Amino acid sequence: MKKVNIAIISYGRIGRVHMKNLVASPYYNVVMVCDIVKPDDFETEYPEISFVSEYAEVLANPDVDAVLIGTPTSLHPMQIKAAAEAGKHVFCEKPLGSSMKEILKAYEAVRKSGVIMQTGFNRRFDDDFLAIKSRISEIGEPHILKITSRDPGMPPIEYVEKSGGLFMDMTIHDFDMARYMFGEVKSIFVQAAALVEPAITTYGDVDTAIIILTFENGAIGVIDNSRQAVYGYDQRIEVFGSKGMLQNDNHLESNTVLSSKAGVFSEKPQHFFLERYLKSYDTELTYFAKSILDESPVVCTMEDGIMAVKIAQAAQKSYQIGSTVVLSNS
Amino acid sequence: MKKVNIAIISYGRIGRVHMKNLVASPYYNVVMVCDIVKPDDFETEYPEISFVSEYAEVLANPDVDAVLIGTPTSLHPMQIKAAAEAGKHVFCEKPLGSSMKEILKAYEAVRKSGVIMQTGFNRRFDDDFLAIKSRISEIGEPHILKITSRDPGMPPIEYVEKSGGLFMDMTIHDFDMARYMFGEVKSIFVQAAALVEPAITTYGDVDTAIIILTFENGAIGVIDNSRQAVYGYDQRIEVFGSKGMLQNDNHLESNTVLSSKAGVFSEKPQHFFLERYLKSYDTELTYFAKSILDESPVVCTMEDGIMAVKIAQAAQKSYQIGSTVVLSNS
Amino acid sequence: MKKVNIAIISYGRIGRVHMKNLVASPYYNVVMVCDIVKPDDFETEYPEISFVSEYAEVLANPDVDAVLIGTPTSLHPMQIKAAAEAGKHVFCEKPLGSSMKEILKAYEAVRKSGVIMQTGFNRRFDDDFLAIKSRISEIGEPHILKITSRDPGMPPIEYVEKSGGLFMDMTIHDFDMARYMFGEVKSIFVQAAALVEPAITTYGDVDTAIIILTFENGAIGVIDNSRQAVYGYDQRIEVFGSKGMLQNDNHLESNTVLSSKAGVFSEKPQHFFLERYLKSYDTELTYFAKSILDESPVVCTMEDGIMAVKIAQAAQKSYQIGSTVVLSNS
Amino acid sequence: MKKVNIAIISYGRIGRVHMKNLVASPYYNVVMVCDIVKPDDFETEYPEISFVSEYAEVLANPDVDAVLIGTPTSLHPMQIKAAAEAGKHVFCEKPLGSSMKEILKAYEAVRKSGVIMQTGFNRRFDDDFLAIKSRISEIGEPHILKITSRDPGMPPIEYVEKSGGLFMDMTIHDFDMARYMFGEVKSIFVQAAALVEPAITTYGDVDTAIIILTFENGAIGVIDNSRQAVYGYDQRIEVFGSKGMLQNDNHLESNTVLSSKAGVFSEKPQHFFLERYLKSYDTELTYFAKSILDESPVVCTMEDGIMAVKIAQAAQKSYQIGSTVVLSNS
């Protein structure tokens, strides 16, 4: 079987998750890893994989078919652009960037070069969300979309500072999911506050939000977010329409239930995204390989990545001005 | 509307439950209550209802159409017989008696007199059990019946002493339910022990049992009992066949669920039979009235009461001899 | 026991529900019923209850302690005022009126007279909502409130025409519940549309809505409404805070679950409010009687009724102007 | 890291499942595969793995540390014995054999040689069963064990013919689970019938069974089996004791729930053992490797395999004689 020769750009938390999936995948050869500092045990663990510190070296390597970009957000547009110009296929983590102008330059380069580009909204590849997506006609005409998306705990303040804010860092996944389910967003209204950690208002950030979306198809949607659900990662979705409702509930740590004098105790939801969405990180890469190898259509395109950033930016604006922001979907 | 003039025989715990339902019912006039000692507040609470201490007075009263017997088990057969001979319709609590010979004499009297007789297996009238009963064809050919029936706590030792034993006192409800769902029982095998309160072995009793039934229709069934489920009254049923399975789960004290750092907490099952089967005690009396007033067929007949006693006696025998007992259903 | 002598004003659907509860209640004597047309069977069914067509007759009757008003909304303020001036205690169905000016006149009369006044937000008396209310401290600081409230089907167009609109007719219950749980509302933003029955836009009405509330305590809330959930009456609530989450799910028609080749089938939610909230209609009247007889505080006051109307009016305004409306809680 | 060099004996359905796990495992090198016929694509797929048709060749290979035996049951004892005598560690699928005499000979050889031997009861390694096992003290003194274990459909009649019968082929997993949870079994009583496929009585087999176990610790247990649950693989367990109950429910195909006019539809349980217990097949091999490499104790020993066969044989006997069979645990 033909395989995709891939290079991983940035070897942090998410880079290592992808590494594990890529080396076990029948669709990939990991050729290179690029990061500033080489971990001590890298050579022992992956003797056949070369480690470089310069992105240019990756792009110059004719053996590299594709790059997987997991660097800080601000570097994404430039790195996508350079990869496209070097004729490398690109998988890039969300969000695609912090400046729309730069993102659009990268997009132009991708379009010109004709390389395959996939945005890393892994939840699209989760079995439960796929089940709803594939059965969505069962609800008839879509009327209401509800997403509950709450993290298990406040990230460190240094993370918040560089995160781009709740909407760009966390809700962006929900924005993409909303589009995936109900199509294009027409307008957005945000009500948000710093209820968990008031100190983050220093950075203009919030930790609790309720967001109303309207869709081109006429439906209405609501997302509720919190940075801190003490019972674990809360990831629910509900789509409602003229013929009924489809819902996904949380995945619990195990199915075991204890009935005792004190009551009936179930397990908590799986702790966080690495547990809950573990499999989807593998599946999204399989799809990426198939788009490259078999030319099957990309499930989560660069356009999808751009639209999610646009909505996140509109959310930020709505929060600041306190009223509805209409999106221009042109 | 015509009403049934009824007398309540024995004014203990269950007698009072019936009293409350009867006075609120549009189908009944409570004419008399019969017990040894008249409660102090009886006259204030029910000024129009006469209170007597002699059963004979009840039977002699031409205004009494029917009696509701809630006395200790050993008195049931004699009281049923006397009522039938006096031409009174009879509702009698389970079990119908402790001596089959006496029960059959009472049965003979009922048959001769032609009065309506209903046995008090209230669970037949519970909405959830009715739902399964009415939908039982959806499972196709019946293969397996499973009943879990566990009380919330060990009764006092004085109660155990006079209870007639686990099978006659508690499992008898499950035996009736088994027959209600799958028809006549062919054989029974019991494995039982005193695991909650070993002291009850003094009375030849047990508190934990697993019982296998075979049915005339070829299906197999299992009942599991415990006198002490610390999490509350555990009442579940499952019927399984060639086309699927129907199940009823417990009723919880409320639907409220708490998700916290410690896990996900649901309420316990409703505490005991007076909570769980509250409505069925009312419904069974409505059916009894309708059988008297409209001649609609009796849902739980004297024959049903007799069969349940037979099975309970066979259970006791199986427990004692340690092997299967075949029932004679003639 | 002392009882409240009560008169029922308007003998329509909800009037008959109350009648059934009142005649069975140990706390009430129903003295009179007032409506334009006397039903044919009324005298047979309730021979001891007088039926009049003039409200003045009710108020003139010195035997009447209290009135229960279930007339069309526009009549409420005038009837409350007249009752208060006649020294009668008042139970009035929601909403309290359509004109705030008239409602406040009625309120003034109630205050002056010192009669007991209860507004008919029955959901406050539902066991499940009571359970959350009584346990609300378990979630710590309140952050997010979520109410899903969907009717099983579109009412007839003639009903819609006179209903006062979705917010005043249907959401008003959710507004009251929001206040009951999280306290005073600070601002409201509405996104709504006529997705089920576009024809109702003729009356300026909508059938689908998502509504964001902010609370004086800093929390945020969201209500989602639809006039048509084809699977039945959808009534869920979720309160979320610094220490966890409390949720109530729907009540199903029965607990029975079928597992078959085609999947696992549970029952639908109970059909509509008369099934789901049956018991609460009885409980709210018990509380009303206790407030009159024992001077226990009113759970749902006239002020509560006024606040709910204010929020519903603000919702209507937000829908019309497309932006947030701030409430004046003075 | 040191790895275990393993050979797979028999390359049928289960052999291929193990192959996939072994090649992806960091703990193993698959050195050889042994079967009668070499699949056409074997060499393309696994160019580095040698394929032989003679078991002797495997045992003669000094590079082979361990064998994984997945051949028909009757060959197990001989193959275990030969492997042990050749100094190879042994992993053998259940059941260990059909003749206790032969099994004990193999056991003797294993004991003498000192090789590591693990029996393939994979369910012990399933997360949900592990959760109950590890929390079992939470139920206090053990009173009742309940296992529901139903296959999704009748196997072909040729399979039945050679299967060794329901108890040896299917229930043996449940017997092992019963011992894993509650310890040694004292006696067994079986009620069984051919309700799904009466034709199998030709082979003395049954397809529906309810089995009562008593345990050395005084507790009682019940297993219910069916060869055909049309709604899917039904795998539930419940342990009940003086302090409460622990339960595991089925794993559904997805969490998605549809609410429609027709009711509320959940997914079916995962189809069969390869779906439901997928991960446990991998985990059991990790444990086997660790026992070899790190000398950590074997979780499922040869003694465990022998006990399960003894119970299955006692079950068969109880079915034939119609009464309780006492086990000799010496």
Side-chain angles (χ1 to χ4, degrees):
Chain A
M1 199 177 71
K2 244 196 105 194
K3 292 187 176 194
V4 175
N5 292 316
I6 198 163
I8 298 172
I9 316 307
S10 183
Y11 197 58
R13 182 170 63 170
I14 197 69
R16 281 158 200 258
V17 170
H18 288 307
M19 178 65 134
K20 260 187 95 171
N21 286 324
L22 289 169
V23 296
S25 167
Y27 299 104
Y28 288 98
N29 289 321
V30 181
V31 179
M32 299 180 103
V33 169
C34 174
D35 205 329
I36 302 167
V37 184
K38 187 176 181 172
D40 290 342
D41 58 350
F42 188 86
E43 210 155 318
T44 330
E45 212 174 341
Y46 302 112
E48 304 94 15
I49 302 175
S50 70
F51 195 101
V52 299
S53 58
E54 292 297 321
Y55 186 46
E57 280 189 75
V58 174
L59 300 185
N61 186 339
D63 287 350
V64 171
D65 302 325
V67 294
L68 186 158
I69 299 172
T71 48
T73 301
S74 57
L75 301 174
H76 291 177
M78 191 185 73
Q79 290 179 334
I80 296 170
K81 187 165 171 283
E85 285 166 358
K88 311 298 189 195
H89 303 297
V90 186
F91 179 101
C92 184
E93 281 300 329
K94 60 94 221 174
L96 288 189
S98 31
S99 148
M100 184 52 73
K101 207 173 139 188
E102 286 180 30
I103 295 172
L104 292 176
K105 273 187 202 161
Y107 179 56
E108 206 43 46
V110 167
R111 277 191 56 192
K112 263 193 202 149
S113 70
V115 296
I116 301 292
M117 199 280 158
Q118 184 175 325
T119 308
F121 286 122
N122 59 296
R123 292 184 198 168
R124 288 192 178 210
F125 303 88
D126 175 71
D127 286 345
D128 276 16
F129 288 101
L130 277 170
I132 290 209
K133 171 75 178 171
S134 69
R135 297 175 59 185
I136 203 140
S137 66
E138 297 182 32
I139 66 161
E141 292 293 315
H143 290 176
I144 295 174
L145 168 101
K146 278 170 65 184
I147 294 174
T148 289
S149 180
R150 301 173 187 155
D151 282 359
M154 201 65 204
I157 201 82
E158 314 83 66
Y159 178 92
V160 169
E161 200 181 340
K162 296 174 189 164
S163 70
L166 185 85
F167 310 117
M168 191 62 86
D169 180 51
M170 180 175 159
T171 326
I172 198 164
H173 274 295
D174 308 312
F175 293 140
D176 183 63
M177 189 49 62
R179 287 186 64 245
Y180 187 51
M181 292 296 176
F182 271 24
E184 294 310 331
V185 170
K186 228 165 86 178
S187 73
I188 185 164
F189 174 85
V190 169
Q191 191 77 49
L195 301 178
V196 178
E197 182 45 270
I200 63 169
T201 51
T202 318
Y203 307 100
D205 207 355
V206 291
D207 50 40
T208 306
I210 296 180
I211 299 161
I212 293 182
L213 304 170
T214 64
F215 295 89
E216 297 280 1
N217 66 12
I220 323 177
V222 62
I223 297 165
D224 75 271
N225 288 148
S226 170
R227 282 282 193 189
Q228 178 196 283
V230 295
Y231 51 85
Y233 196 43
D234 194 346
Q235 297 282 300
R236 289 172 281 157
I237 187 165
E238 175 177 323
V239 291
F240 171 87
S242 58
K243 290 187 181 164
M245 170 169 70
L246 284 163
Q247 294 172 294
N248 279 340
D249 210 336
N250 286 308
H251 291 205
L252 305 185
E253 284 177 357
S254 96
N255 280 323
T256 305
V257 174
L258 171 70
S259 298
S260 78
K261 215 161 191 166
V264 176
F265 307 133
S266 307
E267 297 272 358
K268 291 191 289 183
Q270 291 181 315
H271 178 61
F272 207 0
F273 66 99
L274 290 182
E275 291 83 16
R276 171 62 187 85
Y277 292 121
L278 183 63
K279 203 181 148 203
S280 70
Y281 284 107
D282 190 33
T283 311
E284 66 176 354
L285 294 179
T286 301
Y287 274 79
F288 181 51
K290 287 186 173 168
S291 293
I292 295 170
L293 299 171
D294 312 340
E295 297 178 33
S296 65
V298 176
V299 171
C300 190
T301 63
M302 187 155 188
E303 286 87 344
D304 290 323
I306 292 170
M307 285 310 304
V309 171
K310 275 193 187 172
I311 302 173
Q313 289 177 337
Q316 188 65 31
K317 191 173 162 196
S318 172
Y319 169 61
Q320 280 158 353
I321 65 175
S323 61
T324 305
V325 171
V326 177
L327 275 108
S328 56
N329 289 316
S330 56
Chain B
M1 198 176 71
K2 243 195 105 194
K3 292 186 177 196
V4 175
N5 292 317
I6 198 162
I8 299 171
I9 317 307
S10 184
Y11 197 58
R13 183 171 61 170
I14 196 70
R16 283 159 199 257
V17 170
H18 288 308
M19 179 63 133
K20 259 188 94 172
N21 286 323
L22 290 169
V23 296
S25 167
Y27 299 103
Y28 288 98
N29 289 320
V30 182
V31 179
M32 298 181 102
V33 170
C34 174
D35 205 330
I36 303 166
V37 184
K38 186 176 181 173
D40 290 341
D41 59 351
F42 188 88
E43 211 155 317
T44 330
E45 212 174 344
Y46 301 111
E48 304 93 15
I49 303 175
S50 69
F51 195 102
V52 299
S53 58
E54 291 298 320
Y55 187 47
E57 280 189 74
V58 174
L59 300 185
N61 186 340
D63 287 349
V64 171
D65 303 325
V67 295
L68 185 157
I69 300 173
T71 49
T73 300
S74 58
L75 302 174
H76 291 176
M78 190 185 75
Q79 291 179 334
I80 296 169
K81 189 168 171 281
E85 286 167 356
K88 311 298 190 195
H89 303 298
V90 186
F91 179 100
C92 185
E93 280 301 328
K94 60 94 225 176
L96 287 188
S98 33
S99 149
M100 185 53 73
K101 208 173 137 187
E102 287 180 29
I103 294 172
L104 292 176
K105 274 187 202 162
Y107 179 59
E108 206 43 47
V110 167
R111 277 192 54 193
K112 264 193 203 149
S113 69
V115 296
I116 300 293
M117 199 281 159
Q118 185 174 325
T119 307
F121 287 122
N122 58 295
R123 292 184 198 170
R124 288 192 179 212
F125 302 89
D126 175 71
D127 287 344
D128 276 15
F129 288 101
L130 277 171
I132 290 209
K133 171 75 176 169
S134 69
R135 296 174 59 184
I136 202 138
S137 66
E138 298 181 32
I139 67 163
E141 293 294 316
H143 290 176
I144 295 174
L145 169 100
K146 277 169 66 183
I147 294 174
T148 289
S149 180
R150 300 172 188 156
D151 281 359
M154 200 68 202
I157 202 82
E158 312 85 65
Y159 178 92
V160 169
E161 200 181 342
K162 298 173 188 166
S163 70
L166 185 84
F167 310 118
M168 191 61 88
D169 179 52
M170 180 175 158
T171 327
I172 197 164
H173 274 294
D174 308 312
F175 293 141
D176 181 64
M177 189 49 61
R179 287 185 65 246
Y180 187 51
M181 292 297 175
F182 270 25
E184 293 310 331
V185 170
K186 228 166 88 179
S187 72
I188 186 165
F189 175 85
V190 170
Q191 192 75 49
L195 301 178
V196 178
E197 181 45 270
I200 63 170
T201 51
T202 318
Y203 307 99
D205 207 356
V206 291
D207 51 39
T208 306
I210 296 180
I211 299 159
I212 291 182
L213 304 169
T214 64
F215 296 90
E216 297 281 1
N217 66 12
I220 323 175
V222 63
I223 297 164
D224 75 272
N225 287 148
S226 171
R227 282 285 194 188
Q228 180 198 282
V230 295
Y231 51 84
Y233 197 41
D234 194 347
Q235 297 282 300
R236 288 172 282 157
I237 186 164
E238 175 177 323
V239 292
F240 171 88
S242 59
K243 289 188 181 163
M245 171 170 68
L246 284 163
Q247 292 171 295
N248 280 339
D249 211 335
N250 285 309
H251 291 205
L252 305 186
E253 285 177 357
S254 95
N255 280 323
T256 305
V257 173
L258 171 70
S259 298
S260 78
K261 215 159 189 166
V264 176
F265 306 134
S266 306
E267 297 272 357
K268 291 192 288 185
Q270 291 181 314
H271 177 62
F272 207 1
F273 65 98
L274 290 182
E275 290 84 15
R276 171 62 187 84
Y277 292 122
L278 183 63
K279 203 180 147 202
S280 71
Y281 284 107
D282 190 33
T283 311
E284 66 176 355
L285 293 179
T286 300
Y287 274 79
F288 181 51
K290 288 185 173 169
S291 294
I292 294 171
L293 300 171
D294 313 339
E295 297 177 33
S296 65
V298 176
V299 171
C300 190
T301 64
M302 187 156 188
E303 287 88 343
D304 290 323
I306 292 169
M307 286 309 305
V309 171
K310 275 194 186 171
I311 302 173
Q313 289 177 337
Q316 188 66 31
K317 193 174 161 196
S318 173
Y319 168 61
Q320 280 158 354
I321 66 176
S323 60
T324 303
V325 171
V326 176
L327 275 108
S328 57
N329 289 317
S330 57
Chain C
M1 199 178 70
K2 243 195 107 194
K3 291 186 177 196
V4 174
N5 292 315
I6 197 162
I8 299 172
I9 317 307
S10 183
Y11 198 56
R13 182 169 64 169
I14 197 69
R16 282 158 200 258
V17 170
H18 288 308
M19 179 65 133
K20 260 187 94 171
N21 286 324
L22 289 169
V23 297
S25 167
Y27 298 103
Y28 288 98
N29 289 319
V30 181
V31 179
M32 299 179 104
V33 170
C34 174
D35 205 329
I36 301 166
V37 184
K38 186 175 181 172
D40 289 342
D41 59 350
F42 188 87
E43 211 154 318
T44 330
E45 212 175 343
Y46 301 111
E48 304 93 15
I49 303 176
S50 69
F51 195 102
V52 298
S53 59
E54 291 297 321
Y55 186 47
E57 280 189 74
V58 174
L59 299 185
N61 186 340
D63 287 349
V64 171
D65 302 325
V67 294
L68 185 157
I69 300 172
T71 49
T73 301
S74 58
L75 301 175
H76 290 176
M78 191 185 74
Q79 291 178 333
I80 295 169
K81 188 167 171 282
E85 286 166 357
K88 311 298 188 195
H89 303 297
V90 186
F91 180 100
C92 184
E93 280 302 329
K94 60 94 222 174
L96 288 189
S98 32
S99 147
M100 184 52 73
K101 207 172 139 188
E102 287 181 29
I103 296 171
L104 292 176
K105 274 187 202 163
Y107 180 57
E108 206 44 46
V110 167
R111 277 190 56 193
K112 262 192 204 150
S113 70
V115 296
I116 300 292
M117 199 281 159
Q118 185 175 325
T119 307
F121 286 121
N122 59 295
R123 293 184 197 169
R124 288 192 178 210
F125 302 89
D126 175 72
D127 286 345
D128 276 16
F129 288 101
L130 276 171
I132 290 209
K133 170 76 177 171
S134 70
R135 296 174 60 185
I136 202 139
S137 66
E138 297 181 32
I139 66 163
E141 293 293 316
H143 290 177
I144 294 175
L145 169 100
K146 277 170 65 184
I147 294 174
T148 289
S149 181
R150 300 173 188 156
D151 282 358
M154 200 66 202
I157 202 84
E158 313 83 66
Y159 178 91
V160 169
E161 200 180 341
K162 297 174 187 164
S163 70
L166 185 84
F167 310 117
M168 191 62 87
D169 180 52
M170 180 175 159
T171 326
I172 197 164
H173 274 296
D174 308 312
F175 292 140
D176 183 62
M177 189 49 62
R179 288 185 65 244
Y180 188 50
M181 292 297 175
F182 271 24
E184 294 309 331
V185 170
K186 229 166 85 179
S187 72
I188 185 164
F189 175 85
V190 170
Q191 191 77 48
L195 300 178
V196 178
E197 182 44 270
I200 62 171
T201 51
T202 317
Y203 307 100
D205 207 356
V206 291
D207 51 39
T208 306
I210 297 179
I211 299 161
I212 293 182
L213 304 169
T214 64
F215 296 89
E216 296 280 1
N217 66 12
I220 322 177
V222 62
I223 298 164
D224 75 271
N225 288 148
S226 170
R227 281 283 194 190
Q228 178 197 284
V230 295
Y231 50 84
Y233 196 42
D234 194 346
Q235 296 282 300
R236 289 172 280 158
I237 188 166
E238 174 177 323
V239 290
F240 171 88
S242 59
K243 289 188 180 163
M245 171 169 70
L246 284 162
Q247 293 171 296
N248 280 339
D249 210 336
N250 285 309
H251 291 206
L252 306 186
E253 283 176 357
S254 95
N255 280 324
T256 304
V257 174
L258 171 71
S259 298
S260 79
K261 215 159 189 166
V264 176
F265 306 134
S266 306
E267 298 272 358
K268 291 192 289 185
Q270 290 181 314
H271 178 61
F272 207 1
F273 65 99
L274 290 182
E275 291 83 16
R276 171 62 187 85
Y277 292 121
L278 184 63
K279 202 179 149 204
S280 71
Y281 284 108
D282 190 33
T283 312
E284 65 176 356
L285 294 178
T286 301
Y287 274 79
F288 181 51
K290 287 185 174 168
S291 293
I292 294 171
L293 300 170
D294 313 339
E295 297 178 32
S296 66
V298 176
V299 171
C300 190
T301 63
M302 187 156 188
E303 285 88 343
D304 289 323
I306 292 170
M307 285 310 304
V309 172
K310 275 193 187 174
I311 302 173
Q313 289 178 336
Q316 188 65 32
K317 191 173 163 197
S318 172
Y319 169 61
Q320 281 158 353
I321 65 175
S323 61
T324 305
V325 170
V326 177
L327 276 109
S328 56
N329 288 317
S330 56
Chain D
M1 199 176 73
K2 243 194 106 196
K3 292 187 175 194
V4 175
N5 292 316
I6 197 162
I8 298 171
I9 316 307
S10 182
Y11 197 57
R13 182 170 63 169
I14 197 70
R16 283 160 199 256
V17 169
H18 288 308
M19 178 63 133
K20 259 187 95 171
N21 287 324
L22 290 169
V23 296
S25 167
Y27 299 103
Y28 288 98
N29 290 319
V30 182
V31 178
M32 299 181 102
V33 169
C34 174
D35 206 329
I36 302 166
V37 184
K38 186 175 179 173
D40 290 342
D41 59 350
F42 188 88
E43 212 156 316
T44 330
E45 213 175 343
Y46 302 111
E48 304 93 16
I49 303 174
S50 69
F51 195 101
V52 298
S53 58
E54 291 299 320
Y55 186 46
E57 280 189 74
V58 173
L59 300 184
N61 185 340
D63 286 350
V64 171
D65 302 325
V67 295
L68 186 157
I69 299 173
T71 49
T73 300
S74 58
L75 302 174
H76 291 176
M78 190 186 75
Q79 290 179 335
I80 295 169
K81 189 167 170 283
E85 286 166 358
K88 312 296 191 197
H89 304 297
V90 185
F91 180 101
C92 184
E93 280 302 328
K94 59 94 221 173
L96 287 188
S98 32
S99 148
M100 185 51 75
K101 209 173 137 188
E102 285 180 30
I103 295 172
L104 292 175
K105 274 188 202 160
Y107 179 59
E108 206 43 46
V110 167
R111 276 192 56 194
K112 263 192 203 148
S113 70
V115 296
I116 300 293
M117 199 281 158
Q118 185 174 325
T119 307
F121 287 122
N122 59 295
R123 292 184 198 168
R124 288 191 180 212
F125 303 89
D126 174 72
D127 287 345
D128 276 16
F129 289 101
L130 277 170
I132 290 209
K133 171 76 176 171
S134 69
R135 295 174 59 185
I136 203 139
S137 66
E138 298 181 31
I139 67 163
E141 292 294 314
H143 291 176
I144 294 175
L145 169 100
K146 278 170 64 184
I147 294 175
T148 289
S149 179
R150 302 172 187 156
D151 281 359
M154 201 66 202
I157 202 83
E158 314 85 64
Y159 179 92
V160 169
E161 201 181 341
K162 298 174 188 165
S163 70
L166 185 83
F167 310 119
M168 191 62 87
D169 180 52
M170 181 174 158
T171 327
I172 197 165
H173 275 294
D174 307 313
F175 293 140
D176 182 63
M177 189 49 61
R179 288 184 64 246
Y180 187 51
M181 293 296 176
F182 271 25
E184 293 310 328
V185 169
K186 226 166 89 179
S187 72
I188 185 164
F189 175 84
V190 170
Q191 192 76 49
L195 301 178
V196 178
E197 181 46 88
I200 63 170
T201 51
T202 318
Y203 307 99
D205 207 354
V206 291
D207 51 39
T208 307
I210 296 180
I211 300 159
I212 292 182
L213 304 170
T214 64
F215 295 89
E216 297 281 1
N217 67 12
I220 322 176
V222 63
I223 297 165
D224 76 273
N225 287 148
S226 171
R227 282 283 194 189
Q228 179 197 282
V230 294
Y231 51 83
Y233 196 42
D234 194 347
Q235 296 283 300
R236 287 171 283 156
I237 187 164
E238 175 177 321
V239 292
F240 171 87
S242 59
K243 290 188 180 161
M245 171 169 68
L246 283 163
Q247 293 172 295
N248 280 339
D249 210 334
N250 285 308
H251 291 204
L252 305 185
E253 284 177 358
S254 95
N255 280 324
T256 304
V257 174
L258 172 69
S259 298
S260 79
K261 214 158 189 166
V264 177
F265 307 134
S266 306
E267 298 272 357
K268 290 193 289 185
Q270 291 182 315
H271 178 62
F272 207 2
F273 65 98
L274 290 182
E275 290 83 17
R276 171 62 186 83
Y277 292 121
L278 183 62
K279 202 180 148 202
S280 70
Y281 284 107
D282 189 33
T283 311
E284 67 176 353
L285 294 178
T286 301
Y287 275 78
F288 181 51
K290 288 186 174 170
S291 294
I292 296 171
L293 300 171
D294 312 340
E295 297 178 33
S296 65
V298 175
V299 172
C300 190
T301 65
M302 187 157 189
E303 286 88 342
D304 290 323
I306 292 170
M307 286 309 304
V309 171
K310 276 193 185 172
I311 303 172
Q313 289 177 336
Q316 188 64 32
K317 192 173 163 197
S318 171
Y319 169 62
Q320 280 158 354
I321 65 176
S323 60
T324 304
V325 171
V326 177
L327 275 108
S328 57
N329 290 316
S330 57

